[in-house]
Amino acid sequence: MNLSPDQKRIVEAADGHYLVVASAGAGKTRVLTERVRHLIADRKVRSRVLSLTFTNKAAEEMRQRIRSVPDLQDRAYIGTIHSFCQSILESHGRVVGLVTLPAILEREADRIAMLEKAFEESPELRGHLRQHPDAASKRKFLYRVLEKISFCKRDWGLFQNISSNDRMSEVEARVFREYQDHLASQGVIDFDDILLLALRILTERPAVADIYRRTYRYLCVDEGQDLNAVQYALIRTLGSEARSVLIVGDPNQAIYGFNGSSHRFMMEDFPRDFGAETIELRQNYRSSKAVIRVANALYPESNEVDKAALEGKAVIVRCLNEAVEADWIVHRIQELLEKGEHSEIEGRLTLDRIVVLARNRFVFAPLQQRLENAGIAFHLRQPSGGAVFESDLGKMLDLSIRLAINPRNQLIGNELCRILGIPPKALASEKDGVPILEEVFQVASAEWQVWLGPLLDFVKAVLLDINRFSPAMQTLEGAWMDAATKADMEKVAGEQAFGDLEFLRDCWGKYSRKVAGEARSLGQFRNQMATGEILPHMTGEGLMLAPVHTVKGLEFEVVFLIGMVEGTFPDYRAVKSGGSALAEERNDAFVAATRAKRLLYMTWPVARFMPWDDQCRVKQSPSRYLREIEECRAAEGADAVPLQVAESQSPYGTFHPPKT
């Protein structure tokens, strides 16, 4: 264990309460991880250790770093604050009226629809909504109201006094209650409710709270600057009799004030309430000229090249196909690791300083196989807020599962109808999920029927026996592959759909390894997907593979940006829509490029197999962003040398593919 004196002081601190103010890159996660290891392995404390983070990735990273600690799962709980609170609901939800664990309403669009329904069905509130006759004005109004509801749920004091608090009008309090009643009528809760209900259990049932206080005498909390009032109230309640509470964070990185978070809970309330001792850790970095030139090609003059100290490198690599693209990346990573050093990179170059980015998750499939063959450890970064399906078919599959679990959820039914292009259908509350799906699928167009029959069979099979999930998935995939060879569908849409099937299969694999067969349920499986606990390839170690939209704010010495073809990046749906959707694609490309601090490799395949046809590859065109970067290079002249264009190389030789 190679720790600095200050880090070691924190890790080995005696019983007591500590606030660690740590800047970016100062080893916050490492300090927390080693603290947990020290308490369990060295001090052998008799109670369990509770270590709470804000992202599933950070939690998994911590678990992986100390996986060698004997009986880790029995000695510590390491997870997000949401997943811990969900476990409280699973164990003790009945004391606040939860006979079964409700489904989690994940998407903001679903919450907006639920709120609109609350207005429309209340004679008292309906008039407030109808003051906004046009769709844009109505949506803006609903967003403002939803923000107020979320604000209330994240402020424990305000939530406890909804009716009497002067920060909410009488109408706002009524809206809040109506919204909560509609959630309950549909058998769902939102993410904020997970924390609120857990806190209610701990505050209204002292005997339950005592169980948790006796179980967890040592608490470690990451990203303390992002705590809101409810989260801090949970920590204060759980830690009121603890021997040691450690909170780590950086007040300069508190950027979620709009969500009710505030660094004052860490910097003011925690030291006052717990008498915590403050310890500081500090650290920082910068980007190369080559990377800035690429960024400026996408958004001219967005950065000043001359302010960068190092030249760096930006390379476009044209590859024969997706297999060669994956080979080239693996070969280049191996070369970088074998060399271990780079003149413009401080310290040894390791996998955790490299990232591979793509517009969509399915692009990684060929690369994942080659990384496994090469013995290179990797993990797939997931978006916050749980599972995300990228294709309409994948979304339809997920919605069908969710409707089968909760047939009362009208919002899910409406969303399923929207994807199928049929009018919303009122759901019969007394019916089971399968008959409702049959009614919805019956009125879908003929072009959808080829997909819906196998989907309905899949849902029936897993409802009958959850442990038949894997063979049912195999049957579904085979039927959909047959359909894909006949159907007139977008090639990229098909790739995304089969990528979603693989994603769901991986989620099931992780869930089935975690939960014993007799304890499994479809509802529990979907809820653990929603909270992100069973998302695949989240080991936290090795090379990070990440969809572009999950890495804003992160930086790496070396970035590989792969699958840079039209229809994938930019996404074909954004190209069709144009306007703001296409503008967001350019923003994503800009974010992707500027994640690189020193070296940036942008790759694209000239041809690519579709999942349902492994005989004939489909020709691809380079992304418009690559063309713009090359045009910018040409305009700047040879002296600028902002970019190198290379033909693809792999461990098996050099390829010279035809230019498109």
Side-chain angles (χ1 to χ4, degrees), residues 511-658:
Y511 173 73
S512 61
R513 288 189 295 273
K514 177 183 175 185
V515 179
E518 66 276 8
R520 295 171 192 159
S521 73
L522 195 58
Q524 184 189 51
F525 170 58
R526 189 58 190 75
N527 274 351
Q528 290 199 13
M529 286 178 65
T531 56
E533 291 181 69
I534 55 170
L535 301 189
H537 300 295
M538 291 183 62
T539 64
E541 286 190 342
L543 178 70
M544 181 190 289
L545 313 183
V548 171
H549 58 276
T550 68
V551 293
K552 192 171 183 181
L554 301 182
E555 292 182 341
F556 300 85
E557 302 292 345
V558 184
V559 169
F560 292 86
L561 181 53
I562 72 171
M564 292 294 289
V565 295
E566 282 292 301
T568 298
F569 206 168
D571 185 87
Y572 74 99
R573 290 165 293 193
V575 173
K576 278 185 175 181
S577 300
S580 60
L582 196 53
E584 287 182 15
E585 292 294 302
R586 181 174 294 276
N587 290 344
D588 280 342
F590 182 83
V591 167
T594 53
R595 296 314 90 200
K597 289 157 70 172
R598 299 292 179 261
L599 311 180
L600 173 62
Y601 299 96
M602 296 159 283
T603 67
W604 68 280
V606 171
R608 202 170 52 182
F609 280 138
M610 297 297 109
W612 55 90
D613 184 357
D614 60 359
Q615 301 299 313
C616 301
R617 283 188 166 92
V618 177
K619 188 177 180 181
Q620 307 293 306
S621 298
S623 166
R624 65 191 65 191
Y625 307 131
L626 295 185
R627 294 197 297 268
E628 290 173 13
I629 292 165
E630 290 193 83
E631 287 167 6
C632 182
R633 167 181 171 269
E636 288 184 3
D639 292 341
V641 196
L643 182 71
Q644 300 174 25
V645 180
E647 298 291 351
S648 59
Q649 289 184 320
S650 85
Y652 313 110
T654 302
F655 297 91
H656 299 285

Side-chain angles (χ1 to χ4, degrees), residues 385-548:
V388 174
F389 289 82
E390 297 178 332
S391 67
D392 283 347
L393 277 172
K395 291 171 184 173
M396 188 173 66
L397 169 59
D398 184 48
L399 290 167
S400 298
I401 291 172
R402 293 167 67 186
L403 196 59
I405 295 167
N406 182 7
R408 292 185 296 161
N409 195 328
Q410 186 68 54
L411 291 177
I412 298 299
N414 290 348
E415 181 66 9
L416 190 57
C417 290
R418 185 195 66 77
I419 291 177
L420 292 170
I422 60 178
K425 187 173 181 60
L427 304 182
S429 59
E430 73 280 1
K431 288 191 176 180
D432 291 335
V434 169
I436 289 174
L437 283 173
E438 287 174 335
E439 285 183 20
V440 172
F441 289 174
Q442 248 176 10
V443 294
S445 63
E447 64 184 288
W448 274 113
Q449 294 302 326
V450 69
W451 310 99
L452 298 179
L455 173 54
L456 189 61
D457 290 341
F458 168 79
V459 172
K460 288 178 180 177
V462 296
L463 279 175
L464 189 64
D465 182 0
I466 184 64
N467 292 310
R468 296 286 299 164
F469 196 95
S470 290
M473 276 286 294
Q474 191 172 354
T475 302
L476 175 64
E477 185 173 34
W480 275 12
M481 281 192 172
D482 289 341
T485 60
K486 304 168 188 173
D488 180 21
M489 67 188 303
E490 292 276 357
K491 294 293 190 292
V492 178
E495 281 194 288
Q496 290 177 344
F498 286 97
D500 281 341
L501 284 182
E502 186 64 29
F503 172 69
L504 186 61
R505 183 186 291 108
D506 288 345
C507 287
W508 171 257
K510 196 164 184 181
Y511 173 73
S512 61
R513 288 189 295 273
K514 177 183 175 185
V515 179
E518 66 276 8
R520 295 171 192 159
S521 73
L522 195 58
Q524 184 189 51
F525 170 58
R526 189 58 190 75
N527 274 351
Q528 290 199 13
M529 286 178 65
T531 56
E533 291 181 69
I534 55 170
L535 301 189
H537 300 295
M538 291 183 62
T539 64
E541 286 190 342
L543 178 70
M544 181 190 289
L545 313 183
V548 171

Side-chain angles (χ1 to χ4, degrees), residues 178-202:
E178 289 285 342
Y179 174 72
Q180 290 300 103
D181 287 346
H182 275 74
L183 289 176
S185 72
Q186 300 289 307
V188 297
I189 58 176
D190 62 21
F191 266 114
D192 294 325
D193 289 326
I194 297 174
L195 305 187
L196 278 173
L197 288 168
L199 188 52
R200 273 190 59 199
I201 291 170
L202 296 176

